[in-house]
Coordinates of all heavy atoms in Angstrom, one line a residue:
M1 N -90.4 -40.9 3.7 CA -91.4 -40.0 3.1 C -90.7 -39.5 1.8 O -89.6 -39.1 1.7 CB -91.6 -38.8 4.0 CG -92.7 -37.9 3.5 SD -93.1 -36.5 4.7 CE -93.4 -37.3 6.2
S2 N -91.5 -39.5 0.7 CA -90.9 -39.2 -0.6 C -90.9 -37.7 -0.8 O -91.6 -36.9 -0.1 CB -91.7 -39.8 -1.7 OG -93.0 -39.2 -1.8
L3 N -90.0 -37.3 -1.6 CA -89.8 -35.9 -2.0 C -91.1 -35.3 -2.5 O -91.5 -34.2 -2.2 CB -88.7 -35.7 -3.0 CG -88.4 -34.2 -3.4 CD1 -88.0 -33.4 -2.1 CD2 -87.3 -34.2 -4.4
D4 N -91.8 -36.1 -3.3 CA -93.1 -35.7 -3.9 C -94.1 -35.4 -2.8 O -94.9 -34.4 -2.9 CB -93.6 -36.8 -4.8 CG -94.9 -36.4 -5.6 OD1 -94.9 -35.3 -6.2 OD2 -95.9 -37.1 -5.6
L5 N -94.2 -36.2 -1.8 CA -95.1 -36.0 -0.7 C -94.8 -34.7 0.1 O -95.7 -34.0 0.5 CB -95.2 -37.2 0.2 CG -96.2 -37.1 1.4 CD1 -97.6 -36.9 0.8 CD2 -96.2 -38.4 2.2
I6 N -93.5 -34.5 0.3 CA -93.1 -33.3 0.9 C -93.5 -32.0 0.1 O -94.0 -31.0 0.6 CB -91.5 -33.3 1.2 CG1 -91.2 -34.4 2.2 CG2 -91.0 -31.9 1.6 CD1 -89.8 -34.6 2.4
T7 N -93.3 -32.1 -1.2 CA -93.7 -31.0 -2.1 C -95.2 -30.8 -2.0 O -95.7 -29.6 -1.9 CB -93.4 -31.4 -3.6 OG1 -92.0 -31.5 -3.6 CG2 -93.8 -30.2 -4.5
C8 N -96.0 -31.8 -1.9 CA -97.4 -31.7 -1.8 C -97.8 -31.0 -0.4 O -98.7 -30.2 -0.4 CB -98.1 -33.1 -1.9 SG -98.0 -33.8 -3.5
M9 N -97.1 -31.4 0.6 CA -97.3 -30.8 1.9 C -96.9 -29.3 1.9 O -97.7 -28.5 2.5 CB -96.5 -31.6 3.0 CG -97.0 -33.0 3.2 SD -95.9 -34.0 4.2 CE -96.1 -33.3 5.8
Q10 N -95.8 -29.0 1.3 CA -95.5 -27.6 1.2 C -96.5 -26.8 0.4 O -96.8 -25.6 0.8 CB -94.1 -27.5 0.5 CG -92.9 -28.0 1.3 CD -91.6 -28.0 0.6 OE1 -91.6 -28.2 -0.6 NE2 -90.5 -27.8 1.3
S11 N -97.1 -27.4 -0.6 CA -98.1 -26.7 -1.4 C -99.3 -26.5 -0.5 O -100.0 -25.4 -0.6 CB -98.5 -27.5 -2.6 OG -97.4 -27.6 -3.5
F12 N -99.7 -27.5 0.3 CA -100.9 -27.4 1.1 C -100.7 -26.2 2.1 O -101.5 -25.4 2.3 CB -101.1 -28.7 1.9 CG -102.1 -28.6 3.0 CD1 -103.5 -28.5 2.7 CD2 -101.7 -28.6 4.3 CE1 -104.4 -28.4 3.7 CE2 -102.7 -28.5 5.3 CZ -104.0 -28.4 5.0
V13 N -99.5 -26.1 2.7 CA -99.2 -25.0 3.7 C -99.3 -23.7 3.0 O -99.8 -22.7 3.5 CB -97.8 -25.2 4.3 CG1 -97.4 -24.0 5.1 CG2 -97.8 -26.5 5.2
A14 N -98.7 -23.6 1.8 CA -98.8 -22.3 1.0 C -100.2 -21.9 0.7 O -100.6 -20.7 0.8 CB -98.0 -22.4 -0.3
V15 N -101.0 -22.9 0.3 CA -102.5 -22.6 0.1 C -103.1 -22.1 1.3 O -103.9 -21.1 1.3 CB -103.2 -23.8 -0.5 CG1 -104.7 -23.6 -0.6 CG2 -102.7 -24.1 -1.9
T16 N -102.9 -22.7 2.4 CA -103.6 -22.3 3.7 C -103.1 -21.0 4.2 O -103.8 -20.2 4.7 CB -103.4 -23.4 4.8 OG1 -102.1 -23.6 5.1 CG2 -104.1 -24.7 4.4
E17 N -101.8 -20.7 4.0 CA -101.2 -19.4 4.4 C -101.7 -18.2 3.6 O -102.0 -17.2 4.1 CB -99.7 -19.4 4.4 CG -99.1 -20.3 5.5 CD -97.6 -20.4 5.5 OE1 -97.0 -20.0 4.4 OE2 -97.0 -20.8 6.5
S18 N -101.8 -18.5 2.3 CA -102.3 -17.4 1.4 C -103.8 -17.4 1.2 O -104.3 -16.4 0.6 CB -101.5 -17.5 0.0 OG -101.9 -18.7 -0.6
N19 N -104.4 -18.5 1.5 CA -105.9 -18.6 1.3 C -106.2 -18.5 -0.2 O -107.2 -18.0 -0.5 CB -106.7 -17.7 2.2 CG -108.1 -18.2 2.4 OD1 -108.3 -19.3 2.4 ND2 -109.0 -17.2 2.5
S20 N -105.3 -19.0 -1.0 CA -105.4 -18.8 -2.4 C -104.6 -19.9 -3.2 O -103.4 -20.0 -2.9 CB -105.0 -17.4 -2.9 OG -104.9 -17.3 -4.3
F21 N -105.2 -20.6 -4.1 CA -104.5 -21.5 -4.9 C -103.6 -20.7 -5.9 O -102.4 -21.1 -6.1 CB -105.4 -22.4 -5.7 CG -105.9 -23.6 -5.0 CD1 -106.9 -23.5 -4.0 CD2 -105.3 -24.9 -5.2 CE1 -107.3 -24.6 -3.3 CE2 -105.8 -26.0 -4.5 CZ -106.8 -25.9 -3.5
A22 N -104.1 -19.7 -6.5 CA -103.3 -18.9 -7.4 C -102.1 -18.3 -6.8 O -101.0 -18.3 -7.4 CB -104.2 -17.8 -8.0
A23 N -102.2 -17.7 -5.6 CA -101.1 -17.1 -4.9 C -100.0 -18.1 -4.6 O -98.8 -17.9 -4.7 CB -101.5 -16.3 -3.7
A24 N -100.5 -19.3 -4.1 CA -99.5 -20.4 -3.8 C -98.8 -20.9 -5.0 O -97.6 -21.1 -5.0 CB -100.3 -21.5 -3.1
A25 N -99.5 -21.0 -6.1 CA -98.9 -21.4 -7.4 C -97.9 -20.4 -7.8 O -96.8 -20.8 -8.3 CB -100.0 -21.6 -8.4
R26 N -98.2 -19.2 -7.7 CA -97.2 -18.1 -8.1 C -95.9 -18.2 -7.2 O -94.8 -18.1 -7.7 CB -97.8 -16.7 -8.0 CG -98.7 -16.4 -9.1 CD -99.0 -14.9 -9.1 NE -99.7 -14.5 -7.9 CZ -101.0 -14.5 -7.7 NH1 -101.8 -14.9 -8.6 NH2 -101.5 -14.1 -6.5
K27 N -96.1 -18.5 -5.9 CA -95.0 -18.6 -5.0 C -94.0 -19.7 -5.5 O -92.8 -19.5 -5.4 CB -95.5 -19.0 -3.6 CG -94.4 -19.2 -2.6 CD -94.9 -19.5 -1.2 CE -93.8 -19.8 -0.3 NZ -94.3 -20.1 1.1
F28 N -94.5 -20.8 -6.0 CA -93.7 -21.9 -6.4 C -93.4 -21.9 -7.9 O -92.8 -22.8 -8.4 CB -94.4 -23.3 -6.0 CG -94.4 -23.5 -4.6 CD1 -95.6 -23.5 -3.9 CD2 -93.3 -23.7 -3.8 CE1 -95.7 -23.7 -2.5 CE2 -93.3 -23.9 -2.5 CZ -94.5 -23.9 -1.8
R29 N -94.0 -20.9 -8.6 CA -93.8 -20.7 -10.0 C -94.2 -22.0 -10.8 O -93.5 -22.5 -11.7 CB -92.3 -20.4 -10.4 CG -91.9 -19.1 -9.8 CD -90.5 -18.7 -10.2 NE -90.2 -17.4 -9.7 CZ -89.0 -17.1 -9.3 NH1 -88.0 -17.9 -9.4 NH2 -88.8 -15.9 -8.8
I30 N -95.4 -22.4 -10.4 CA -96.1 -23.5 -11.1 C -97.5 -23.1 -11.5 O -98.0 -22.1 -11.0 CB -96.1 -24.8 -10.3 CG1 -96.9 -24.6 -8.9 CG2 -94.7 -25.3 -10.0 CD1 -97.1 -25.8 -8.1
S31 N -98.1 -23.9 -12.3 CA -99.5 -23.5 -12.7 C -100.5 -23.9 -11.6 O -100.2 -24.8 -10.7 CB -99.9 -24.3 -14.0 OG -100.0 -25.7 -13.7
T32 N -101.6 -23.3 -11.6 CA -102.6 -23.6 -10.6 C -103.1 -25.0 -10.7 O -103.4 -25.7 -9.7 CB -103.8 -22.6 -10.7 OG1 -103.3 -21.3 -10.7 CG2 -104.9 -22.8 -9.6
S33 N -103.2 -25.5 -11.9 CA -103.6 -26.9 -12.1 C -102.6 -27.9 -11.5 O -103.0 -28.9 -10.9 CB -103.9 -27.2 -13.6 OG -102.7 -27.1 -14.3
V34 N -101.3 -27.6 -11.6 CA -100.3 -28.5 -11.0 C -100.5 -28.5 -9.5 O -100.4 -29.5 -8.8 CB -98.9 -28.1 -11.5 CG1 -97.8 -28.8 -10.6 CG2 -98.7 -28.4 -12.9
L35 N -100.6 -27.3 -8.9 CA -100.8 -27.2 -7.5 C -102.0 -27.9 -7.0 O -102.0 -28.6 -6.0 CB -100.8 -25.7 -7.1 CG -100.8 -25.5 -5.6 CD1 -99.6 -24.8 -5.1 CD2 -102.1 -24.8 -5.2
T36 N -103.1 -27.8 -7.8 CA -104.4 -28.5 -7.4 C -104.2 -30.0 -7.4 O -104.6 -30.7 -6.5 CB -105.5 -28.1 -8.4 OG1 -105.7 -26.7 -8.3 CG2 -106.8 -28.8 -8.1
K37 N -103.4 -30.5 -8.4 CA -103.1 -31.9 -8.4 C -102.3 -32.4 -7.2 O -102.5 -33.5 -6.7 CB -102.4 -32.3 -9.7 CG -103.3 -32.2 -10.9 CD -102.6 -32.5 -12.2 CE -103.5 -32.2 -13.4 NZ -102.8 -32.4 -14.7
Q38 N -101.4 -31.5 -6.8 CA -100.6 -31.8 -5.6 C -101.4 -31.9 -4.4 O -101.3 -32.8 -3.6 CB -99.5 -30.8 -5.4 CG -98.4 -30.8 -6.5 CD -97.4 -29.7 -6.3 OE1 -97.6 -28.7 -5.6 NE2 -96.3 -29.8 -7.0
I39 N -102.4 -31.0 -4.2 CA -103.3 -31.0 -3.1 C -104.1 -32.3 -3.1 O -104.3 -33.0 -2.1 CB -104.1 -29.7 -3.0 CG1 -103.3 -28.5 -2.9 CG2 -105.1 -29.8 -1.8 CD1 -102.4 -28.4 -1.6
K40 N -104.7 -32.6 -4.3 CA -105.5 -33.8 -4.4 C -104.7 -35.1 -4.1 O -105.2 -36.0 -3.5 CB -106.1 -33.9 -5.8 CG -107.2 -32.9 -6.1 CD -107.8 -33.0 -7.5 CE -108.8 -32.0 -7.7 NZ -109.4 -32.1 -9.0
R41 N -103.4 -35.1 -4.6 CA -102.6 -36.2 -4.3 C -102.4 -36.4 -2.8 O -102.4 -37.5 -2.2 CB -101.2 -36.1 -5.0 CG -100.3 -37.2 -4.6 CD -99.0 -37.2 -5.4 NE -99.3 -37.7 -6.7 CZ -98.6 -37.4 -7.8 NH1 -97.5 -36.7 -7.7 NH2 -98.9 -37.9 -9.0
L42 N -102.1 -35.3 -2.1 CA -102.0 -35.3 -0.6 C -103.2 -35.8 0.0 O -103.2 -36.7 0.9 CB -101.6 -33.9 -0.1 CG -101.3 -33.8 1.4 CD1 -100.2 -34.7 1.9 CD2 -101.1 -32.4 1.8
E43 N -104.4 -35.3 -0.4 CA -105.7 -35.8 0.2 C -105.9 -37.3 -0.1 O -106.3 -38.0 0.8 CB -106.8 -34.9 -0.4 CG -106.8 -33.5 0.1 CD -107.9 -32.7 -0.6 OE1 -108.3 -32.9 -1.7 OE2 -108.4 -31.7 0.1
T44 N -105.5 -37.7 -1.3 CA -105.7 -39.1 -1.6 C -104.8 -40.0 -0.7 O -105.2 -41.0 -0.2 CB -105.4 -39.4 -3.1 OG1 -106.3 -38.6 -3.8 CG2 -105.5 -40.8 -3.4
T45 N -103.5 -39.5 -0.6 CA -102.6 -40.3 0.2 C -103.0 -40.4 1.7 O -102.9 -41.5 2.3 CB -101.2 -39.6 0.2 OG1 -100.7 -39.6 -1.2 CG2 -100.2 -40.3 1.0
L46 N -103.5 -39.3 2.2 CA -104.0 -39.3 3.6 C -105.4 -39.9 3.8 O -105.8 -40.3 4.9 CB -104.0 -37.9 4.1 CG -102.6 -37.2 4.2 CD1 -102.8 -35.7 4.6 CD2 -101.7 -37.9 5.1
G47 N -106.1 -40.0 2.7 CA -107.5 -40.5 2.8 C -108.4 -39.6 3.4 O -109.5 -40.0 4.0
K48 N -108.1 -38.3 3.4 CA -108.9 -37.3 4.1 C -109.0 -36.0 3.2 O -108.1 -35.7 2.5 CB -108.3 -36.8 5.4 CG -108.1 -37.9 6.4 CD -109.3 -38.1 7.2 CE -108.9 -39.2 8.3 NZ -110.1 -39.6 9.0
K49 N -110.2 -35.4 3.2 CA -110.3 -34.1 2.5 C -109.7 -33.0 3.5 O -110.1 -32.9 4.6 CB -111.8 -33.9 2.3 CG -112.1 -32.9 1.2 CD -112.0 -33.6 -0.1 CE -112.8 -32.8 -1.1 NZ -112.1 -32.7 -2.4
L50 N -108.8 -32.3 3.0 CA -108.1 -31.3 3.8 C -108.7 -29.8 3.6 O -108.6 -29.0 4.5 CB -106.6 -31.2 3.4 CG -105.9 -32.6 3.6 CD1 -104.5 -32.5 3.1 CD2 -106.0 -33.0 5.1
L51 N -109.2 -29.6 2.4 CA -109.7 -28.3 2.1 C -111.2 -28.4 1.5 O -111.4 -29.2 0.7 CB -108.9 -27.6 1.1 CG -107.4 -27.3 1.4 CD1 -106.6 -26.8 0.2 CD2 -107.4 -26.2 2.5
A52 N -112.0 -27.5 2.0 CA -113.4 -27.4 1.4 C -113.3 -26.2 0.5 O -112.9 -25.1 0.8 CB -114.4 -27.1 2.5
R53 N -113.5 -26.5 -0.8 CA -113.3 -25.4 -1.8 C -114.7 -25.0 -2.4 O -115.5 -25.8 -2.7 CB -112.5 -26.0 -3.0 CG -111.2 -26.6 -2.5 CD -110.6 -27.4 -3.7 NE -109.4 -28.1 -3.4 CZ -109.3 -29.3 -2.9 NH1 -110.3 -30.0 -2.6 NH2 -108.1 -29.8 -2.7
T54 N -114.8 -23.7 -2.7 CA -115.9 -23.2 -3.5 C -115.2 -22.3 -4.5 O -114.0 -22.2 -4.5 CB -116.9 -22.4 -2.7 OG1 -116.2 -21.2 -2.2 CG2 -117.5 -23.1 -1.5
T55 N -116.0 -21.7 -5.4 CA -115.3 -20.9 -6.4 C -114.7 -19.6 -5.8 O -113.8 -19.0 -6.4 CB -116.3 -20.5 -7.5 OG1 -117.5 -19.8 -6.8 CG2 -116.8 -21.7 -8.3
R56 N -115.1 -19.2 -4.6 CA -114.6 -18.0 -4.0 C -113.9 -18.2 -2.7 O -113.2 -17.3 -2.2 CB -115.8 -17.0 -3.8 CG -116.4 -16.6 -5.0 CD -117.4 -15.5 -4.8 NE -118.0 -15.0 -6.0 CZ -117.6 -14.0 -6.7 NH1 -116.6 -13.3 -6.4 NH2 -118.2 -13.7 -7.8
H57 N -114.0 -19.3 -2.1 CA -113.5 -19.5 -0.7 C -112.8 -20.9 -0.6 O -113.1 -21.9 -1.2 CB -114.6 -19.4 0.4 CG -115.2 -18.1 0.4 ND1 -114.7 -17.0 0.9 CD2 -116.5 -17.7 -0.1 CE1 -115.5 -16.0 0.8 NE2 -116.6 -16.4 0.2
I58 N -111.7 -20.9 0.3 CA -111.1 -22.1 0.7 C -111.1 -22.1 2.2 O -110.8 -21.2 2.9 CB -109.6 -22.1 0.2 CG1 -109.5 -21.9 -1.3 CG2 -108.9 -23.3 0.7 CD1 -108.1 -21.6 -1.7
T59 N -111.6 -23.3 2.7 CA -111.7 -23.4 4.1 C -111.1 -24.7 4.5 O -111.2 -25.7 3.8 CB -113.2 -23.4 4.6 OG1 -113.9 -22.3 4.0 CG2 -113.4 -23.4 6.0
L60 N -110.4 -24.7 5.6 CA -109.8 -26.0 6.1 C -110.9 -26.9 6.7 O -111.8 -26.4 7.4 CB -108.8 -25.7 7.3 CG -107.5 -25.1 6.9 CD1 -106.7 -24.7 8.1 CD2 -106.6 -26.1 6.1
T61 N -110.8 -28.1 6.4 CA -111.7 -29.1 7.0 C -111.1 -29.4 8.4 O -110.0 -28.9 8.7 CB -111.8 -30.4 6.2 OG1 -110.5 -31.0 6.2 CG2 -112.3 -30.1 4.8
E62 N -111.8 -30.2 9.2 CA -111.3 -30.6 10.5 C -110.0 -31.3 10.3 O -109.0 -31.1 11.0 CB -112.3 -31.5 11.2 CG -111.9 -31.8 12.6 CD -112.9 -32.7 13.4 OE1 -114.1 -32.8 12.9 OE2 -112.5 -33.2 14.4
A63 N -109.9 -32.2 9.3 CA -108.7 -33.0 9.1 C -107.6 -32.0 8.7 O -106.4 -32.2 9.1 CB -108.9 -34.0 8.0
G64 N -107.9 -31.0 7.8 CA -106.9 -30.1 7.4 C -106.4 -29.2 8.5 O -105.2 -28.8 8.6
S65 N -107.2 -28.9 9.5 CA -106.8 -28.1 10.7 C -105.8 -28.9 11.5 O -104.9 -28.3 12.1 CB -108.0 -27.7 11.5 OG -108.8 -26.9 10.8
I66 N -106.0 -30.2 11.6 CA -105.2 -31.0 12.4 C -103.8 -31.2 11.8 O -102.8 -31.0 12.3 CB -105.8 -32.4 12.7 CG1 -107.0 -32.2 13.5 CG2 -104.8 -33.4 13.4 CD1 -107.9 -33.5 13.6

C-alpha cells in the first residue's frame, strides 16, 4: 500500500469524524481542494463512492460505512 493511499484514507477518516471537509483540511493544514482530491482519488482507487455530498451535508454511502 502506498503512502499516498494511506494519506487518502486518513483524510477520509478525518472527514467522517468531523463531518466537514473544511475541518479535516484544517487538521492536516492543507487546502480543502487538496483534501477533496484525496477523497476522490480514494474513491477512484476503490471504484466506489464513499461519501454522498451536498452543499450542506456529508453522508456516508453504504460502501463508505463498510
Side-chain angles (χ1 to χ4, degrees):
M1 188 177 306
S2 74
L3 182 60
D4 186 50
L5 184 57
I6 292 171
T7 300
C8 293
M9 292 168 69
Q10 290 172 329
S11 295
F12 171 73
V13 170
V15 169
T16 59
E17 288 178 344
S18 65
N19 203 30
S20 166
F21 276 78
R26 282 192 301 271
K27 177 181 178 179
F28 293 112
R29 296 185 178 146
I30 59 175
S31 69
T32 306
S33 63
V34 168
L35 186 116
T36 300
K37 288 176 186 174
Q38 290 175 343
I39 301 298
K40 287 182 181 180
R41 175 174 285 160
L42 181 61
E43 290 177 329
T44 300
T45 300
L46 297 174
K48 303 273 184 188
K49 202 78 159 141
L50 301 175
L51 298 169
R53 306 166 184 89
T54 67
T55 55
R56 296 192 181 262
H57 299 285
I58 301 167
T59 309
L60 285 170
T61 62
E62 184 178 348
S65 294
I66 294 169

